Amino acid sequence: MKQSHLYTKTRKTLPSGEVAKNAQLLIKAGYIHKELAGVYAFLPLGIRVMNKIEDLIRSHMDKIGGQEILLSSLQDPELWKKNNRWDDDDVDIWFKDRDERIGFAWSHEEPMISMIEHHVSSYKDLPVYVYQFQNKFRNEPRAKSGLLRGREFIMKDLYSFTKNQDELDEFYRKITDAYKEIFNVAGIGDQTYYTFASGGAFTEFSHEFQTLSDAGEDTIYIDRDKKIAINEEVYSKEIVKELGLDEKKLEKVKSIETGNIFKFGTGYSEKLNLKYKDADGKDQFVYLGSYGIGLSRLMATVVEVLSDDGGIVWPESISPFQVHLIELTEGLGEDLYQKLLDNNIEVLYDDRQIGAGEKFNDADLIGIPWRLVVSEKTDGKVEIKNRSEKSAQLITKDEAIKKFI
Amino acid sequence: MKQSHLYTKTRKTLPSGEVAKNAQLLIKAGYIHKELAGVYAFLPLGIRVMNKIEDLIRSHMDKIGGQEILLSSLQDPELWKKNNRWDDDDVDIWFKDRDERIGFAWSHEEPMISMIEHHVSSYKDLPVYVYQFQNKFRNEPRAKSGLLRGREFIMKDLYSFTKNQDELDEFYRKITDAYKEIFNVAGIGDQTYYTFASGGAFTEFSHEFQTLSDAGEDTIYIDRDKKIAINEEVYSKEIVKELGLDEKKLEKVKSIETGNIFKFGTGYSEKLNLKYKDADGKDQFVYLGSYGIGLSRLMATVVEVLSDDGGIVWPESISPFQVHLIELTEGLGEDLYQKLLDNNIEVLYDDRQIGAGEKFNDADLIGIPWRLVVSEKTDGKVEIKNRSEKSAQLITKDEAIKKFI
């Protein structure tokens, strides 16, 4: 894409009250636009990152047998009443329409169970793993963390329907590995801890994926060697012992919850009456689990954790483009731009007629991992630099193309 | 995909009160699930069709210079009040949160204009064409037409920002051609009429793309030869004459509005104060247009118009799979299935252990355009049949693969 065609520009001014680093950088670089507190639009660069994150998560969910669907945002209060999750006293983040005959989805367990009833009746139909990328609406009172805590955000939520505890446990292990791989590929694997958290009424623990960051709202106790953490909310001497950890080795740190996985067992199925017939024709309750990753929160976490003074630093996996091609003399990049496109390399081509300093500053702010510069000085060759390194190399155009194929 | 893995099944029973043919067929075939009146979830087959439609529209919007973004569903009432479109007296389909401090998007002109102000200031920044695939919420009192009139639905809406009337007119012609091409590729081009409709306060006419169908809620007067129509809402002898049509040749028919395009001129810009500086440094109002296609309505229209007694008949462009491979003897389709996958051909492989009649009925209901059957009778070859034809041919497996590459 030619940067002269991209309608968004980098910005120096910020909306009033925007204190979160992730939102500040993403707004300045032209990825997002603030609409309301905790409500952001995705601009052309931003939607490219979101699509990359979506594709990354989708490929891992498909690999473990997930089937993609899309439930609605408008929800039936009757489904939630059955499970005691409609009243504001029970769930305090509902957006409801004026007459309270419609709820706006903050989660999807209840409608998911209602839908699955029409397609699952026998043990032969199980297990089933269903997921979606869906808007969630949460009337958060404290929406000051940019994309980390939005009142509207896109989430991947997967629900597992299994015949028994063993099948649930087996899938839980599989999706744990899938989540670890997703955070690795997204560049925050080293900073992300498998964390023991509250299991609510259903199970001893749920598990969170917590990424170390001062911008986080969570506090966890981490064991850096074992790469395990305990959320403050369940932290106790007994649990430290139960997990075989040494209290003295644990560090108390701030972190961002980038993922969470949860076993419900048969709790929800009993309340909502989701059953299947086993091989003997006997009714059994279905075992449930739910597994979430917020896409925009993941995007914000990467910005919080990997950025530097110059701006954003994307990992290659979720960068809006593979390459940022900058020409310092009008028209000099055109030839290489076409060759990159011909080889299906995603390239943002800065063909604007502005100074070199402004171009380099914008490139650092936007954060594409590889920068290519062509100018009269590069003499038919091209200067290549990684976003996180200081020094550049001069290589031929063919070498540049080969690098990104 | 193996059909034994697909968790949805074809259904014989329908939700009570579901009278629309499109919803009946799509529910029976396992494409959608009804959540509430006018609110549907998309199941694995359904989301594949939606994604095809999205890709089809996206490629045509990109071709005419569109840039994709994603605005939020939560909206700021202040923006809408400025344009007199917040009060229920002015717009009667708003979903609003209980305290009326949040609106749920039924359209996006106002937030789109507010966002664009941050990126457009000079004549050099224009024209800009921005589009999105976004959920719309409309509190429709009469939601009985299945996916044709949902209370929640995904729409492609594009907004054009141009310097003057000529630039607006030029883009209007381009997107008119793009829309015609989209409806052609989606298989309903022959039945879809470019229709003169009300222009509201802004312009003499807007234009709708109306697809002939008794399921439609609109009434239009069509000239079959000239492929032009007039919406009943603006029909008069004067307009017939103005358009150079012959009243006697016009037929009054029912139709579905599958697309609409609209020139606002400077009407909205004046109310919302969207200006740019021209080459002389003088302030000018931006010229606006908006252009919509409802994705689920398009899906429903194709079902209404092209289905037959056996079920749905998808055009190749938006079918969930290219090929429906059916084996009548266990394991006999496996080899061809793998070869089709190896050649990146999208195939639904019916490997279920049920009777041939049930498989054929399901295949007709699901409506994939090409059916391949392997059995002991086909003797190493494969029987190929088009969904809309009665007779089948016997061809070799290699021929079958070549046909779909």
Side-chain angles (χ1 to χ4, degrees):
Chain A
M1 184 180 210
K2 290 188 177 180
Q3 211 162 336
S4 62
H5 177 65
L6 182 70
Y7 83 86
T8 56
K9 298 183 188 63
T10 58
R11 286 171 59 171
K12 295 221 163 74
T13 58
L14 286 168
S16 66
E18 188 56 86
V19 295
K21 182 169 89 170
N22 67 83
Q24 289 185 348
L25 283 172
L26 289 166
I27 290 170
K28 280 186 186 170
Y31 285 85
I32 62 173
H33 168 74
K34 186 173 194 165
E35 303 220 41
L36 283 165
V39 182
Y40 298 87
F42 293 92
L43 304 178
L45 291 176
I47 209 165
R48 292 182 74 99
V49 175
M50 288 292 276
N51 287 341
K52 293 274 174 82
I53 292 174
E54 192 176 299
D55 287 346
L56 169 63
I57 296 173
R58 178 181 290 117
S59 70
H60 284 86
M61 295 303 103
D62 287 347
K63 212 182 283 176
I64 56 175
Q67 298 187 51
E68 188 175 350
I69 68 162
L70 181 63
L71 295 185
S72 60
S73 293
L74 298 185
Q75 296 186 330
D76 184 355
E78 298 312 316
L79 292 176
W80 293 85
K81 284 176 188 166
K82 278 191 214 167
N83 204 17
N84 300 325
R85 299 214 290 176
W86 176 251
D87 280 358
D88 295 331
D89 292 343
D90 298 313
V91 174
D92 60 2
I93 48 167
W94 270 113
F95 280 109
K96 299 176 181 177
D97 191 43
R98 288 170 286 179
D99 55 11
E100 303 207 7
R101 285 193 293 180
I102 288 285
F104 292 86
W106 65 274
S107 191
H108 279 90
E109 284 84 2
E110 282 76 350
M112 192 64 82
I113 290 170
S114 168
M115 179 277 297
I116 213 81
E117 281 178 341
H118 293 277
H119 296 280
V120 165
S121 56
S122 150
Y123 70 99
K124 292 179 190 164
D125 303 326
L126 294 170
V128 170
Y129 313 114
V130 180
Y131 73 95
Q132 59 176 352
F133 295 96
Q134 228 282 358
N135 242 9
K136 306 289 185 222
F137 301 103
R138 295 184 182 176
N139 203 354
E140 297 279 1
R142 43 173 185 151
K144 288 185 177 169
S145 306
L147 292 185
L148 288 177
R149 184 175 289 279
R151 293 197 287 166
E152 171 177 352
F153 59 94
I154 295 168
M155 189 171 180
K156 184 284 299 174
D157 42 331
L158 186 144
Y159 304 84
S160 66
F161 300 89
T162 48
K163 291 189 281 294
N164 51 48
Q165 188 69 44
D166 281 352
E167 213 170 52
L168 173 56
D169 291 343
E170 189 193 332
F171 184 75
Y172 201 79
R173 281 190 295 272
K174 273 191 199 171
I175 202 163
T176 298
D177 291 341
Y179 271 40
K180 285 180 180 168
E181 182 64 16
I182 288 166
F183 295 122
N184 279 337
V185 176
I188 55 171
D190 287 349
Q191 301 90 330
T192 301
Y193 282 69
Y194 186 67
T195 303
F196 290 79
S198 167
F202 303 103
T203 179
E204 191 182 2
F205 297 115
S206 70
H207 294 94
E208 296 165 344
F209 293 80
Q210 293 276 2
T211 307
L212 310 190
S213 167
D214 288 338
E217 294 175 349
D218 283 32
T219 301
I220 61 172
Y221 293 81
I222 63 169
D223 182 319
R224 287 197 189 263
D225 296 333
K226 296 196 173 163
K227 202 76 195 288
I228 277 181
I230 305 172
N231 194 310
E232 185 184 43
E233 68 187 14
V234 297
Y235 185 81
S236 71
K237 280 179 197 263
E238 292 69 43
I239 282 173
V240 171
K241 195 182 285 178
E242 189 185 331
L243 298 178
L245 299 174
D246 177 358
E247 208 182 341
K248 288 175 212 142
K249 284 187 62 186
L250 298 180
E251 278 173 66
K252 187 177 174 183
V253 294
K254 300 294 280 179
S255 60
I256 301 165
E257 184 190 333
T258 39
N260 76 302
I261 59 178
F262 213 107
K263 294 178 193 177
F264 294 123
T266 58
Y268 280 0
S269 297
E270 287 176 36
K271 275 195 179 164
L272 297 166
N273 203 32
L274 180 65
K275 293 178 182 170
Y276 71 94
K277 289 217 183 296
D278 67 17
D280 302 324
K282 257 182 66 184
D283 277 342
Q284 303 286 355
F285 286 112
V286 176
Y287 283 69
L288 254 75
S290 90
Y291 316 85
I293 296 181
L295 276 70
S296 37
R297 184 180 285 187
L298 177 54
M299 181 172 170
T301 303
V302 169
V303 172
E304 289 283 348
V305 170
L306 302 181
S307 64
D308 63 19
D309 290 344
I312 299 167
V313 183
W314 293 115
E316 295 187 15
S317 59
I318 63 171
S319 174
F321 293 91
Q322 292 174 270
V323 181
H324 202 160
L325 170 62
I326 295 175
E327 68 178 16
L328 301 184
T329 310
E330 188 175 350
L332 217 58
E334 188 68 40
D335 170 56
L336 181 54
Y337 175 59
Q338 285 304 332
K339 283 184 180 149
L340 290 163
L341 288 185
D342 291 345
N343 286 283
N344 291 317
I345 296 159
E346 294 172 303
V347 52
L348 182 62
Y349 168 32
D350 193 348
D351 61 333
R352 297 174 301 166
Q353 303 310 309
I354 57 172
E358 201 178 333
K359 288 192 174 196
F360 291 150
N361 284 341
D362 277 359
D364 279 354
L365 181 56
I366 290 170
I368 295 166
W370 292 99
R371 192 184 81 182
L372 298 178
V373 178
V374 288
S375 71
E376 282 166 353
K377 285 185 198 158
T378 58
D379 195 25
K381 291 189 169 181
V382 51
E383 193 190 272
I384 185 168
K385 190 183 97 59
N386 187 280
R387 174 65 181 79
S388 37
E389 285 168 18
K390 292 231 160 134
S391 64
Q393 279 83 45
L394 208 59
I395 58 174
T396 67
K397 289 181 183 177
D398 281 346
E399 285 167 339
I401 290 160
K402 266 185 205 139
K403 186 170 173 61
F404 299 109
I405 285 176
Chain B
M1 182 179 211
K2 289 187 177 181
Q3 210 161 338
S4 63
H5 178 64
L6 182 70
Y7 82 86
T8 56
K9 298 185 187 64
T10 57
R11 286 171 57 173
K12 295 223 164 74
T13 58
L14 286 168
S16 66
E18 188 56 86
V19 294
K21 182 170 89 171
N22 67 83
Q24 290 185 348
L25 283 172
L26 289 166
I27 290 170
K28 281 186 185 171
Y31 285 84
I32 63 172
H33 168 74
K34 185 174 194 165
E35 303 221 39
L36 284 165
V39 181
Y40 299 87
F42 293 92
L43 303 177
L45 292 176
I47 210 166
R48 292 183 74 99
V49 174
M50 287 293 276
N51 287 341
K52 294 274 174 83
I53 292 174
E54 192 176 300
D55 288 345
L56 169 62
I57 296 174
R58 179 182 288 116
S59 70
H60 283 87
M61 295 302 104
D62 288 348
K63 212 183 283 177
I64 55 174
Q67 298 187 52
E68 188 175 352
I69 68 163
L70 181 64
L71 296 184
S72 60
S73 292
L74 299 185
Q75 296 187 328
D76 183 354
E78 298 311 317
L79 292 177
W80 293 86
K81 284 176 189 166
K82 278 190 214 166
N83 205 17
N84 300 325
R85 299 213 290 174
W86 177 251
D87 281 357
D88 295 332
D89 291 342
D90 298 313
V91 174
D92 60 3
I93 48 168
W94 271 113
F95 279 110
K96 299 177 181 178
D97 191 43
R98 287 170 287 179
D99 55 12
E100 303 207 5
R101 284 193 295 181
I102 288 284
F104 292 86
W106 64 275
S107 189
H108 280 90
E109 284 84 2
E110 282 76 350
M112 192 64 81
I113 290 171
S114 168
M115 179 276 297
I116 213 82
E117 280 179 340
H118 293 277
H119 296 281
V120 165
S121 55
S122 148
Y123 70 99
K124 291 179 191 164
D125 302 327
L126 294 171
V128 170
Y129 313 113
V130 180
Y131 72 95
Q132 60 177 351
F133 295 95
Q134 230 283 357
N135 243 7
K136 307 288 184 223
F137 301 103
R138 296 185 181 175
N139 203 354
E140 297 278 1
R142 43 173 185 154
K144 288 185 177 169
S145 306
L147 292 185
L148 288 178
R149 183 176 290 279
R151 291 198 288 167
E152 171 178 352
F153 58 94
I154 295 168
M155 188 173 181
K156 184 283 297 174
D157 42 332
L158 186 144
Y159 304 85
S160 67
F161 300 90
T162 47
K163 293 190 281 294
N164 51 48
Q165 188 69 45
D166 280 352
E167 213 170 51
L168 173 55
D169 290 344
E170 190 194 331
F171 184 74
Y172 201 79
R173 279 190 296 272
K174 274 191 199 170
I175 202 163
T176 298
D177 290 342
Y179 271 40
K180 285 181 181 168
E181 182 63 17
I182 288 166
F183 295 122
N184 279 337
V185 176
I188 55 171
D190 286 348
Q191 299 91 330
T192 301
Y193 282 69
Y194 186 67
T195 303
F196 291 79
S198 168
F202 302 103
T203 178
E204 191 183 2
F205 296 115
S206 69
H207 294 94
E208 296 165 346
F209 293 80
Q210 294 275 4
T211 307
L212 309 191
S213 167
D214 287 338
E217 295 176 350
D218 284 31
T219 301
I220 60 173
Y221 292 81
I222 62 170
D223 182 318
R224 288 196 189 263
D225 295 333
K226 296 196 172 162
K227 203 77 194 289
I228 278 180
I230 304 171
N231 193 309
E232 184 183 43
E233 68 188 15
V234 295
Y235 185 80
S236 72
K237 282 183 193 253
E238 291 71 42
I239 282 172
V240 171
K241 196 182 285 178
E242 189 185 330
L243 298 178
L245 299 174
D246 177 357
E247 208 182 340
K248 288 175 215 142
K249 285 187 61 186
L250 298 180
E251 278 173 67
K252 188 177 174 182
V253 294
K254 301 294 280 177
S255 60
I256 301 165
E257 184 191 333
T258 39
N260 76 301
I261 58 178
F262 213 105
K263 294 179 192 177
F264 295 122
T266 58
Y268 280 1
S269 298
E270 287 176 35
K271 276 194 177 162
L272 297 166
N273 202 32
L274 180 65
K275 293 178 183 171
Y276 71 95
K277 288 214 183 298
D278 67 17
D280 302 323
K282 257 183 67 185
D283 277 342
Q284 303 286 355
F285 286 113
V286 176
Y287 282 70
L288 254 76
S290 91
Y291 316 85
I293 296 181
L295 276 68
S296 36
R297 184 181 286 187
L298 177 54
M299 181 172 169
T301 303
V302 169
V303 172
E304 289 284 349
V305 170
L306 302 181
S307 65
D308 63 19
D309 289 345
I312 298 168
V313 182
W314 293 115
E316 295 188 15
S317 58
I318 63 171
S319 174
F321 293 91
Q322 293 173 269
V323 181
H324 202 160
L325 169 62
I326 296 174
E327 67 178 18
L328 300 184
T329 311
E330 189 175 351
L332 218 57
E334 188 68 40
D335 170 55
L336 182 54
Y337 176 59
Q338 286 304 332
K339 283 185 181 147
L340 289 164
L341 288 184
D342 292 344
N343 285 283
N344 291 317
I345 295 159
E346 295 173 301
V347 52
L348 181 64
Y349 168 31
D350 193 347
D351 61 334
R352 298 173 301 167
Q353 303 310 308
I354 57 172
E358 202 177 334
K359 289 193 174 195
F360 291 150
N361 284 342
D362 277 0
D364 279 353
L365 182 56
I366 290 170
I368 296 167
W370 293 99
R371 192 185 81 181
L372 298 178
V373 178
V374 288
S375 72
E376 282 166 351
K377 285 188 199 158
T378 59
D379 194 25
K381 292 189 170 181
V382 50
E383 192 191 274
I384 184 167
K385 189 184 97 59
N386 188 282
R387 173 66 181 80
S388 36
E389 285 167 17
K390 293 228 161 136
S391 64
Q393 279 83 45
L394 210 59
I395 59 176
T396 68
K397 288 181 182 176
D398 282 346
E399 284 167 339
I401 290 160
K402 265 184 208 142
K403 185 171 173 60
F404 299 109
I405 285 176

